[in-house]
Amino acid sequence: MYRRIIIKVGTSVLTGGTQRLDRSHMVELVRQAAQLHRAGVELIVCSSGAIAAGREKLGFHDPEASISQKQMLAAVGQSSLIRTWESLFELFEIRVGQVLLTRSDVGRSLSFLNAKDTLLTLLEHRIIPIVNENDAVATAEIRVGDNDNLSALVGLVAEADLLLLLTDQAGLFTSDPTEDLDAELIPEVKAIDETLRKMAGSSTSGLGVGGMATKLEAADTARRAGADVIIASGHAPDVLIRAANSEPVGTLFRALESPLEQRKKRILAGAPPDGRIIVDEGAVRALLRDGSSLLPAGVLSVEGSFERGDPVPVHDGNGNEIAVGLARYGSDETRRISGAHSNDIQNILGYGYGPVVVHRNDMIVL
């Protein structure tokens, strides 16, 4: 069974092809999610549907709505959508938390780390994040249906094992199944090439903005980030349960590399800052031998400058570089807490981003 799953639910699935949220089907998806949650699977729901919920609430059904009108619908519908998810999960005594993101929010180091901290803290407390595209302020997501790609980036941030893209189609077909009766479902895709991209048709519901082409883009991103990807019908029986248990459903794209390899690439690819952290012998042993995080108590000094989220080199007292990791605190903050106990960070700074200077999951030992 997969350990951490991103479930992207498209507008066509949420509405069932109507002009309203299909709450009876939403509760069926929540039932399946609750079963996985009880089994210890960590879930993040990437939900479309804010604009559709706004249309329902306002009775505004103009198919030629402008970008600004769609932003209005998203602003009105966002609260309605999250309340619906919250009320349905409450039936199973599961708490949810709303996270509004745009694609740019996970494209910068600091925003990436902030988003990661938020998502992982919610999961740590057994709260299911409901991630929505922030359509009220972002126009690109509305124009190109980037919530598919956003869900893939959320998978990268959260280091997910599986991205499950639920849509109004049973998966990827050899041709458009609405026009070609001989179209066949492709159970597994080995490579995403131009031939495959040409097979990908547009959304047929007219209610969502992302078609199969954006799902292929999302699949390519997610599998390079170390996650398997499944495109499947959101109305297939027990689709969440079957996908989580690696049972055949929809179209499968296997991960190209492990999450660890992707994380290493991201850390090492970052522009090196003009700074470094010098640690004591105890910290060196903990990092090299025990695979521990770097705590402020082990920091001897800080040289140069770096910002929270920057990849920063870690050196021993002899000047040897032993690791590179994403800084949880900027250089000035790290200087202030160096040598201190983790419990004293809050008192020293007046705030805290956690008990470590560099977390072991964001560190590469050299």
Side-chain angles (χ1 to χ4, degrees):
M1 181 176 287
Y2 289 98
R3 176 184 61 91
R4 184 174 295 163
I5 302 174
I6 310 295
I7 304 170
K8 191 273 178 177
V9 190
T11 300
S12 58
V13 176
L14 292 174
T15 61
T18 70
Q19 298 290 345
R20 304 174 59 86
L21 293 179
D22 184 356
R23 290 165 177 81
S24 62
H25 185 61
M26 289 176 70
V27 76
E28 166 58 17
L29 293 176
V30 169
R31 179 195 67 78
Q32 296 176 47
Q35 181 174 331
L36 294 175
H37 188 264
R38 287 193 297 270
V41 179
E42 296 177 332
L43 303 173
I44 297 175
V45 177
C46 285
S47 175
S48 297
I51 293 175
R55 291 185 192 277
E56 176 184 343
K57 196 166 187 178
L58 296 179
F60 187 100
H61 302 301
D62 182 2
E64 303 299 326
S66 66
I67 292 294
S68 60
Q69 288 173 326
K70 289 180 179 179
Q71 288 175 307
M72 172 195 71
L73 294 171
V76 172
Q78 193 66 256
S79 58
S80 178
L81 179 65
I82 190 63
R83 280 201 305 270
T84 300
W85 282 120
E86 184 177 38
S87 63
L88 296 179
F89 274 104
E90 281 181 348
L91 295 174
F92 299 89
E93 299 182 345
I94 296 174
R95 294 172 296 169
V96 302
Q98 179 175 242
V99 180
L100 292 177
L101 292 173
T102 64
R103 186 168 184 169
S104 62
D105 287 327
V106 290
R108 301 184 300 269
S109 293
L110 179 56
S111 298
F112 179 94
L113 190 56
N114 289 340
K116 179 177 181 178
D117 284 348
T118 299
L119 292 172
L120 296 189
T121 302
L122 287 168
L123 293 176
E124 180 184 349
H125 288 82
R126 301 288 291 156
I127 299 170
I128 295 181
I130 307 292
V131 179
N132 305 99
E133 70 272 38
N134 197 359
D135 282 345
V137 297
T139 58
E141 283 77 4
I142 293 175
R143 286 199 303 267
V144 301
D146 219 28
N147 198 32
D148 289 320
N149 284 302
L150 179 62
S151 66
L153 294 175
V154 170
L156 187 155
V157 172
E159 299 168 13
D161 303 308
L162 173 67
L163 170 61
L164 176 58
L165 298 169
L166 298 181
T167 183
D168 54 2
Q169 298 291 333
L172 183 64
F173 285 80
T174 53
S175 58
D176 188 343
T178 63
E179 298 180 359
D180 184 1
L181 296 179
D182 294 324
E184 296 181 0
L185 178 69
I186 303 173
E188 183 172 347
V189 169
K190 303 293 185 181
I192 298 178
D193 53 23
E194 287 306 313
T195 301
L196 192 68
R197 290 188 178 95
K198 289 179 181 178
M199 287 184 190
S202 301
S203 171
T204 59
S205 67
L207 297 169
V209 288
M212 197 60 72
T214 62
K215 289 169 178 57
L216 280 187
E217 293 175 3
D220 200 29
T221 298
R223 68 194 189 121
R224 293 179 188 278
D228 287 348
V229 181
I230 295 174
I231 300 176
S233 169
H235 287 82
D238 286 329
V239 60
L240 270 60
I241 308 297
R242 292 159 62 194
N245 285 285
S246 300
E247 297 177 17
V249 60
T251 301
L252 171 67
F253 304 73
R254 294 203 180 275
L256 296 182
E257 55 190 10
S258 72
L260 176 60
E261 291 170 331
Q262 175 65 26
R263 187 162 64 245
K264 286 181 178 180
K265 286 183 178 180
R266 181 175 181 86
I267 293 172
L268 294 176
D274 183 23
R276 62 177 184 166
I277 298 173
I278 314 300
V279 300
D280 62 23
E281 292 183 4
V284 172
R285 287 194 299 271
L287 297 179
L288 299 183
R289 185 183 63 191
D290 303 329
S292 300
S293 299
L294 176 58
L295 303 177
V299 177
L300 290 174
S301 63
V302 176
E303 297 180 358
S305 63
F306 50 85
E307 302 294 330
R308 168 172 156 81
D310 282 346
V312 59
V314 178
H315 290 245
D316 63 20
N318 297 319
N320 301 308
E321 185 175 2
I322 62 171
V324 178
L326 301 182
R328 291 298 176 109
Y329 294 89
S331 52
D332 290 340
E333 296 164 322
T334 306
R335 285 189 185 92
R336 293 173 60 188
I337 63 176
S338 62
H341 193 279
S342 296
N343 292 337
D344 295 327
I345 293 177
Q346 185 78 30
N347 293 331
I348 295 171
L349 299 179
Y351 57 88
Y353 296 118
V356 304
V357 173
V358 180
H359 196 280
R360 65 188 178 198
N361 290 342
D362 298 323
M363 182 187 302
I364 308 242
V365 176
L366 302 177

